Each structure stands twice: as C-alpha cells, then as structure tokens.
Amino acid sequence: MKNEWHKEDGTARIGYEGIVHDIIYYNEENGYVIAILDAGDDLVSIKGAIPFIREGDRLRVSGKLEVHNFYGEQLNVEWAEHIKPTELDEIYRYLASGIIKGIGETTAHLIIEAFGADALEVLQNTPDKLLAIPGIGPKKLEQILESYKEQYELRDFIMYFQHLNISINMAMRLYKRYGHDAIRTIETNPYVLADEMVGIGFRQADQIAMKMGIDFHSPFRIASGITYLLNKEATNGHTYVTKERVVKLAAQELSVKEEEVMLQLSHMAVSGQVNVEMLPDEHVAVYLPSLFYSEQQVASKITQLMQHATQLKFDDMNYFLDEFQKNRGILLAEKQKEAISLSLESGVFVITGGPGTGKTTIINAIIDAFEKLDKKVLLAAPTGRAAKRMTETTQRESKTIHRLLEFQGGNGPQGENNFQKNADSPLKTDVLIIDEISMVDIVLMYRLLDAVALGTHLILVGDSDQLPSVGPGSVLKDLLESHFVSSIKLTEIYRQSEASLIAVNAHMINRGEAPILNKPDKDFFFIAKQKPEDILNEIRNLVIERLPNYYNLNPMEDIQVLSPVKSGGVGVEALNEMLQAVVNPPNKKKAEKSFGKKRFREGDKVMQIKNNYNLEWTTKYAEEGKGVFNGDIGIITEIDEHERTLTVIYDQEREVIYDFPTVEELVLAYAVTVHKSQGSEFKAVIMPMSQIPSLLTSRNILYTAITRARELLVLVGDKRTLSEMIRRTHEAHRNTGLKQKLMAIKALYGGD
C-alpha cells in the first residue's frame, strides 16, 4: 500500500505499508538496514534505522525517495512502525520465524491450532492460557513474554532514544535498567546517562540534555557534573578528591564559574550527595557517599576485630612446629615461625611477600594450627582463578569473596544490599584467610568485613609490591603504612630457589637490579627485537610454534600475553587481533559475530571488563548464582543468532549466557593488560617491551607481570625499555583516607 503527501516546506514524502521480503544488510549496533519491502503492487527498496527488523515483519514506513548508483530508487526511511500481523498465515509466519524466544515452528503451529487468529491477542492479554500448550511451562512462558514485550515495547523506546543519538544497544541497556520508566527517567534527569552502568560519558549526556532544553547553568547540571568527576576520579583509584581540584575541574568541564561550583558543592554536602572531611594538611576531601562510608566502616570494623581478638596458643608451640615441618618435609625460617604465632594472637594479621617467599607454606601452617585448636577456617580470594589456585595449594575449598558472601546480584553500581552474608547474617567461622589482598578495593573490603563476626581471626595475605586494586582505594598499602595492624613481610626466597629465575629475578627487579637473562635450561628469557611488527611476529611464533613444541604448552590454556598498554603497535588490541587469527582462525563450523569493531567467534578467549552484578551463571553441578567481574577470563562456547545470545564458560565451570547488547562488556583476552592480570597465574607469560608510555614505564608494572608467570617468562623487545622500567619507581598516587582514619583511631587509643 502506498500514499504520498508533501511537507510544509514543499518536499515530497512517500509512505508504504507491507511485508519485509528480503534483508540485504543489517547493522546490529545502530539498526541500519537495507531491505526489500513487499507493498502489494510494489517491491520497494528501503534504507534507514529500523531496529529489530526481520524478514516477514509487517512495516509502515515513510520518507523521501532517493536514487542509489547500485540499488536504484530507494526510500530513505525517516519514520517506521512495526505492525502486528492480522491474517492467520501472517500470524503463523511471525510466530514461527524465531523472533520470539521460546517459540519455534512446532510451538507456533500448536498455538495457532489452539487460538487461531486470536493468538497474538492471547499472547498480549491472557498469556497464562499458553500454559495449556504442550512444551510451555512457567519458565518458558516467562521467556516468551519477555521476548514478545521486547519486540513492541522496546521498539518504541528505541525509536524515542534514536532522535537523541543514543545507539540501539545503549537504548536496550537503559530499558533493562529502568524498564517502563526509562523515558520518564531520561526526561527528568538526562545526566543519569553518564552513570557508569549505563556507559555514556558525561559530555554525551550533556549534549543530550542541551538538546532537551536543560539550562546551561542549572544547579542540576552542575551537581551531575560534580558527581561525574568524582566517579571519574574513582576509576583512577581515588576514594576522594580535594575540594580545590573538584571546583577547578568542574568549572573547566562545565564552562561555568568556580563560584557556581562552590555553591552547588555546598548544597550537595548539606543534602548528603557528597561527604566532606578535613585532611591533616587542612585541605578538604570530597567523597562520594559510598566510598566515604566504606572507608569509615573498614576502619571501624578492623578496630573492633582487634579489640575482640581471642589470643590462642599451643601448650607446646615447638612441638606443633616440629610436627608440621616433619610432615611437610620442610624447614621453617624464624620469620615464618613468627608469622604462625602472630596469626594465632592477632585479630587482624597481614602477611606480605613476593614470589617464592613461602606465603603458601605459611597459609598451610596457619590452617593446620587453627584446625589443631579445633577452630573452623574459611578461605577466599578476589577472583575465580586466585580462589582455584588457593584450593589447589591448600587442598581445601576456597571461594571468591563474592561467592563466600553469597552475592545475589543487584541494580546498584556495587550490587547494594544483595550480599546475603552481612552484619545480620555473618560468616560462621573462627578464622578467615583472604589471599591476593592487594586486589581488594575499599568497597569490597567493606562488604567483606561487614560479614565478619567479632572474635573472628582475619588473616590477609598478599604482595605489597604489586599493582593496587582496579577499583578505588589502596587497602593493603594503607593497612601497612598505618602500622595499625600486626604484619610481617617475608623476604627470603624458598620456592624453586635453585631452579627458577622467575622468583629470583622478580626480587632483583624489585630491588632495582638488572635480572639474569637467557641462562640455558632456565625459565626467564629476553628476545631482542626493535620494530613493533618484529615483536608481533616473534610473539606469534612463540605462541603458535616455539613454546607449544618445546615446552608442550597449550596456546589457549597455558600461555598468556600481557602488555602494559591497550593501544599502539604492541598494545593489547593489536596483539589480540593477531592472536585471534592464528590461535582461533575462522572456521565454517564455528559461528562468529561482529559487534561494532569487535568480532567474536566460538572458541575465542574473552574477558569481562566491568563488574556486572546481575549476570546469572550456572555450573554442571547445578549450582547457580549472579555476578561476573572485571578481569574474569573465559571461553566462548556458543554464538546463537536465533536467540541473540553468546555463551561463555568461566574457570571451566561457570556458564554465563549474554544477550547481544551485554556483549559489549567482553573483549578478546589472548592478550590482556598487566593491570587486568592481577590475581591470575599462568604457566607461561609473554610480554612485549617497547613503545610503553612514560606513566606505564614503571617497576611495579614489570614486577606484577613477572609474578604472574609460574613456569616460564619471555620478554620480547628493547633492553633499553627493560632497563627504564627497572629504574623508574614511579607509582601513580591515590588519594585515600583509610590510612588517616586508622592513624586517628590509633592516636585516640594512645598509640604511637
């Protein structure tokens, strides 16, 4: 069906109604399509943004006719509407097309047989009737209804958001977060688009707000700008920002006067939108409330745990130590023996040390000591890989911190109020040992301590010379520098001290000394290459040929490439593009899918790049839970175009099904940044040493990369870069207040 009219400016417009006959091109990211529309008497070529279009859809479209060099006359669609089918055969084709998840050809036939032309009316208004259809149970009905609602309700949302230049994927995420209230929420406060979970930057949100008529000097705009800046600084590890810096940055970012920012900041402090605190140097710290509260609670709970500590000891400590050494076939050093005694006496105890210094031995001795005193011990670590490694080395179950706290997902930025273990339902244990504590940020530390009952012995183990947590705070560093809790640093190398250069060189580098390179039959190598393309080629050969052939290593499971940088000639992006092509090349039997510039295929190694507290997972043991976290690495097992899903297996056990919009939280992981590798350990690590920016040319980045390797470490690049990284001890400063709060408590109680 065709109709024509003219706009007020005299330009002609044409409208059609018909069935989508053929889709020539479709872009998942923005919904742009080139298709053929069967409009009855005419087959019309149409182009434009029409989200969720499928062959067989009935559309009503309008726009301007244009002539394309290849496709000929086309309708450039300016407006489009999906129309529900009305004829019986159309309804069947629609249901059988697979556009609604949970309904295939067989189920579509049964629905038509039962309800005839009223099938869609039943689906929309009395969906419970579908439970009478064989094969449709409550869970499947829920899937069907959600998918059906998406087809119509979500389309309306997306058409609205498109005029604000918001992509389809972003619109879908907004819909998932805010549901029916999405449009009203955006109209009320467009700056919610700058929220971390939504993923739109403040500047884009600001442009949208201006388009919607928000006043440039609106207090609402300035408050949102301040919150945005505090969140941005938190992503760089800071728990607070000085008032002077907030005012200066906000005024620059918003192009308003500093006086306006000062006034709004005062209002926000009074209303509780920010917290302020006087620093020792008389500057004022400005906090996001969640970070301020987390620091306060961590300092308070650590103090309480220390005050309520039960000092334990053996009648004959030497007898226990002798038995442990005899059973393990080892000889403990005096500092290790001291660590075991302090763990029994202290409410909170910190053990630090580099690779090979005996941290695992100490953990096993501490577990043995407490269990011989009839005390229950729980073990945990920040990541799945670290927890799995802890299980292997202790022969006892270790969980991720989130699983230990029985995390159930949540809508807030940190999954608020969805930790089943908390102050009201604490962990039932006498001893809690946390490994890789350097990875734990201030918010997770608060959640952990909230679930620790008074009287529990808390033992924190980590490496203070590694990079700090990805999230805000410097928990381990602040604990050590405050001298508030008992701690011990292990320095003597035990692990493979005669055979391994990885541990030896890590400590030499940490002392600023040049490492021992390329000794025959050792595990630490340097291959000199200058040009980025030569480095890439060498890494390719190492991953595909040399290391698998000589060391019998699996390129996918055993070898991890680490780089200090994301972009550039030897950055993670270039490395992943190269490695994907050779480790997991295209194959007709492997489905693949492009998402913008990313291309994933079945069998790819991928990594989650942000905390998603609502992603559900299941295991083959029928376990289930929620939460996939920044830095988790897994393998793509299935890409299903029909269901619009991508499945990933993490840690060889947790299966997570992503819908296509959520896939933007994944990146290839054949190569990852050194920061993202924290808490993981790999049989072999390869690292390029070239074209590293000065801010990342630092000793602790090199040290962290080296300590991720268990059996083999290969550096490829320029020795001058290696020397420069060893020489530079630069570490990005973080503004954190935990140390200050602990020292204030210490002074209050008469400490030094």
Side-chain angles (χ1 to χ4, degrees):
M1 185 176 68
K2 173 183 177 182
N3 60 70
E4 299 184 34
W5 73 97
H6 287 77
K7 294 181 72 175
E8 291 181 1
D9 61 5
T11 56
R13 290 296 182 270
I14 295 178
Y16 289 96
E17 182 177 322
I19 304 294
V20 178
H21 175 71
D22 186 27
I23 294 177
I24 300 167
Y25 170 80
Y26 183 63
N27 187 318
E28 289 274 359
E29 290 292 305
N30 54 26
Y32 184 83
V33 66
I34 299 173
I36 303 299
L37 188 73
D38 183 350
D41 296 334
D42 301 303
L43 284 176
V44 184
S45 176
I46 62 174
K47 66 176 183 178
I50 310 176
F52 301 113
I53 189 171
R54 298 279 184 101
E55 291 179 10
D57 280 0
R58 177 173 286 277
L59 295 181
R60 188 178 290 130
V61 297
S62 65
K64 184 179 179 181
L65 280 177
E66 297 178 353
V67 178
H68 190 275
N69 292 336
F70 181 79
Y71 294 109
E73 194 172 66
Q74 286 183 301
L75 182 73
N76 188 4
V77 176
E78 297 172 345
W79 175 85
E81 179 184 6
H82 290 261
I83 302 172
K84 293 178 183 177
T86 55
E87 300 298 324
L88 197 62
D89 61 333
E90 287 184 7
I91 294 172
Y92 171 74
R93 284 201 305 272
Y94 169 73
L95 292 174
S97 68
I99 196 169
I100 301 176
K101 294 179 183 178
I103 299 180
E105 291 184 9
T106 301
T107 306
H109 178 77
L110 293 172
I111 292 173
I112 293 295
E113 195 175 68
F115 305 111
D118 295 328
L120 296 185
E121 186 73 18
V122 169
L123 187 57
Q124 182 163 343
N125 298 317
T126 55
D128 286 349
K129 290 182 179 180
L130 293 175
L131 292 171
I133 302 296
I136 298 182
K139 192 169 184 179
K140 192 165 190 176
L141 179 60
E142 185 181 347
Q143 179 190 33
I144 290 169
L145 293 178
E146 185 178 341
S147 180
Y148 180 70
K149 185 170 68 172
E150 177 183 276
Q151 299 306 313
Y152 291 97
E153 187 177 88
L154 185 52
R155 282 170 176 167
D156 294 338
F157 281 108
I158 287 172
M159 298 304 288
Y160 169 83
F161 288 131
Q162 279 189 320
H163 88 273
L164 296 175
N165 296 321
I166 296 175
S167 71
I168 287 177
N169 278 351
M170 188 58 65
M172 289 177 70
R173 292 180 68 199
L174 284 166
Y175 176 76
K176 280 188 174 183
R177 182 168 182 184
Y178 298 110
H180 299 285
D181 294 329
I183 292 176
R184 183 176 60 82
T185 300
I186 304 309
E187 288 178 340
T188 302
N189 177 14
Y191 292 99
V192 300
L193 294 168
D195 184 278
E196 181 186 356
M197 286 192 70
V198 176
I200 288 181
F202 177 80
R203 291 179 181 177
Q204 186 180 354
D206 203 27
Q207 290 173 358
I208 292 168
M210 294 299 102
K211 197 172 183 179
M212 294 172 66
I214 299 294
D215 186 89
F216 196 73
H217 296 276
S218 164
F220 199 53
R221 176 175 182 261
I222 296 172
S224 295
I226 291 170
T227 300
Y228 157 73
L229 287 169
L230 292 175
N231 274 308
K232 184 178 178 181
E233 292 293 291
T235 64
N236 293 324
H238 304 294
T239 60
Y240 72 81
V241 186
T242 62
K243 179 181 177 182
E244 292 83 355
R245 180 170 170 79
V246 172
V247 171
K248 183 179 180 180
L249 288 178
Q252 291 175 349
E253 181 76 32
L254 302 172
S255 298
V256 297
K257 294 179 180 179
E258 290 189 0
E259 290 79 6
E260 293 178 84
V261 178
M262 289 274 286
L263 179 62
Q264 190 56 40
L265 193 57
S266 298
H267 290 322
M268 293 174 74
V270 171
S271 65
Q273 292 174 273
V274 298
N275 289 92
V276 295
E277 184 176 65
M278 185 66 70
L279 298 172
D281 60 6
E282 297 188 357
H283 285 84
V284 175
V286 181
Y287 282 86
L288 290 169
S290 62
L291 298 181
F292 181 77
Y293 184 74
S294 293
E295 280 193 350
Q296 277 193 324
Q297 292 303 108
V298 168
S300 174
K301 192 57 175 285
I302 285 175
T303 304
Q304 293 176 56
L305 288 171
M306 292 171 64
Q307 289 174 336
H308 289 79
T310 302
Q311 294 192 357
L312 303 173
K313 62 180 180 179
F314 285 96
D315 293 334
D316 189 341
M317 186 67 174
N318 288 330
Y319 177 78
F320 165 76
L321 294 172
D322 289 342
E323 285 296 300
F324 179 80
Q325 293 174 106
K326 180 180 176 181
N327 293 334
R328 298 277 175 160
I330 60 172
L331 188 63
L332 294 171
E334 288 304 313
K335 190 171 277 192
Q336 291 178 307
K337 294 176 181 178
E338 181 185 356
I340 298 167
S341 296
L342 285 171
S343 70
L344 296 173
E345 299 169 4
S346 308
V348 181
F349 182 53
V350 180
I351 303 169
T352 65
T357 55
K359 295 195 298 295
T360 298
T361 300
I362 292 299
I363 292 174
N364 281 316
I366 290 170
I367 294 170
D368 200 21
F370 277 106
E371 288 183 343
K372 277 188 166 48
L373 293 168
D374 295 323
K375 302 300 180 182
K376 182 180 178 182
V377 180
L378 289 181
L379 309 176
T383 67
R385 283 175 175 261
K388 187 176 181 180
R389 190 171 70 250
M390 198 178 189
T391 297
E392 292 168 352
T393 57
T394 63
Q395 297 299 301
R396 287 168 175 79
E397 182 185 22
S398 174
K399 298 180 179 180
T400 64
I401 295 174
H402 282 86
R403 289 182 74 176
L404 180 75
L405 301 180
E406 298 179 14
F407 178 74
Q408 298 296 316
N411 294 323
Q414 301 292 340
E416 284 85 346
N417 304 319
N418 282 281
F419 291 86
Q420 300 305 298
K421 291 300 178 184
N422 49 44
D424 296 325
S425 178
L427 296 165
K428 294 179 180 179
T429 188
D430 300 301
V431 187
L432 177 60
I433 303 177
I434 306 295
D435 198 9
E436 296 285 359
I437 188 62
S438 64
M439 292 185 64
V440 177
D441 63 38
I442 192 66
V443 178
L444 185 56
M445 190 66 179
Y446 154 59
R447 293 294 179 187
L448 175 67
L449 291 177
D450 191 44
V452 178
L454 297 183
T456 303
H457 290 257
L458 177 64
I459 299 164
L460 308 173
V461 185
D463 187 343
S464 57
D465 294 313
Q466 285 191 26
L467 293 169
S469 59
V470 174
S474 296
V475 172
L476 178 56
K477 183 179 179 181
D478 284 353
L479 285 174
L480 294 172
E481 292 187 355
S482 69
H483 300 291
F484 188 73
V485 300
S486 298
S487 67
I488 197 163
K489 183 167 186 176
L490 306 174
T491 55
E492 189 174 345
I493 303 174
Y494 302 96
R495 190 186 73 186
Q496 301 174 342
S497 58
E498 294 182 2
S500 174
L501 282 179
I502 293 175
V504 172
N505 281 339
H507 288 273
M508 291 180 69
I509 286 169
N510 216 18
R511 295 193 298 266
E513 301 170 10
I516 302 166
L517 303 174
N518 301 338
K519 290 190 71 172
D521 300 321
K522 293 296 182 179
D523 55 7
F524 196 111
F525 298 95
F526 187 97
I527 300 174
K529 297 290 179 183
Q530 297 295 324
K531 297 179 181 178
E533 56 267 32
D534 292 337
I535 294 173
L536 286 179
N537 285 333
E538 186 64 38
I539 291 175
R540 176 193 179 281
N541 292 335
L542 286 165
V543 171
I544 296 301
E545 297 176 10
R546 295 175 64 181
L547 300 190
N549 293 341
Y550 192 82
Y551 294 95
N552 195 30
L553 294 173
N554 184 308
M556 185 74 75
E557 298 175 4
D558 301 330
I559 302 171
Q560 184 63 55
V561 179
L562 304 180
S563 176
V565 293
K566 289 182 181 179
S567 56
V570 294
V572 164
E573 293 168 356
L575 286 161
N576 272 317
E577 183 179 351
M578 178 270 291
L579 291 169
Q580 182 192 39
V582 295
V583 176
N584 188 35
N587 186 313
K588 289 182 180 179
K589 295 181 180 179
K590 293 181 178 180
E592 56 180 64
K593 177 75 176 173
S594 291
F595 300 90
K597 295 180 180 179
K598 302 176 186 176
R599 188 162 192 82
F600 295 125
R601 67 177 56 99
E602 290 171 350
D604 273 338
K605 182 193 279 190
V606 292
M607 180 175 63
Q608 175 82 12
I609 58 171
K610 64 178 292 184
N611 290 337
N612 187 322
Y613 298 94
N614 293 309
L615 275 175
E616 298 178 352
W617 54 260
T618 58
T619 73
K620 60 184 178 182
Y621 306 110
E623 294 178 306
E624 58 184 35
K626 286 186 178 182
V628 183
F629 303 103
N630 192 348
D632 284 356
I633 294 176
I635 302 293
I636 296 175
T637 57
E638 183 181 18
I639 297 174
D640 190 330
E641 281 275 11
H642 178 72
E643 296 291 333
R644 293 171 54 83
T645 60
L646 181 149
T647 302
V648 179
I649 296 288
Y650 289 101
D651 304 319
Q652 300 177 331
E653 60 174 11
R654 291 182 300 145
E655 181 180 86
V656 179
I657 299 176
Y658 291 78
D659 57 21
F660 279 175
T662 315
V663 171
E664 68 179 11
E665 297 179 4
L666 293 173
V667 295
L668 292 174
Y670 300 98
V672 302
T673 62
V674 178
H675 281 83
K676 295 288 189 183
S677 73
Q678 290 171 268
S680 297
E681 191 174 71
F682 313 96
K683 280 190 176 181
V685 167
I686 303 171
M687 180 174 170
M689 302 291 296
S690 179
Q691 296 186 329
I692 302 173
S694 58
L695 281 176
L696 297 175
T697 307
S698 66
R699 186 185 299 172
N700 66 337
I701 288 179
L702 177 61
Y703 174 82
T704 299
I706 291 170
T707 57
R708 299 306 89 205
R710 188 165 70 246
E711 297 178 8
L712 183 67
L713 188 286
V714 184
L715 304 176
V716 183
D718 185 350
K719 281 192 176 180
R720 289 175 297 180
T721 301
L722 174 61
S723 298
E724 185 67 12
M725 292 190 81
I726 294 170
R727 185 183 67 82
R728 287 176 62 95
T729 56
H730 167 77
E731 184 178 339
H733 173 72
R734 291 188 170 195
N735 290 331
T736 65
L738 179 60
K739 174 183 173 181
Q740 175 193 337
K741 291 176 173 63
L742 291 172
M743 292 178 71
I745 294 171
K746 187 177 180 180
L748 185 65
Y749 283 92
D752 295 333

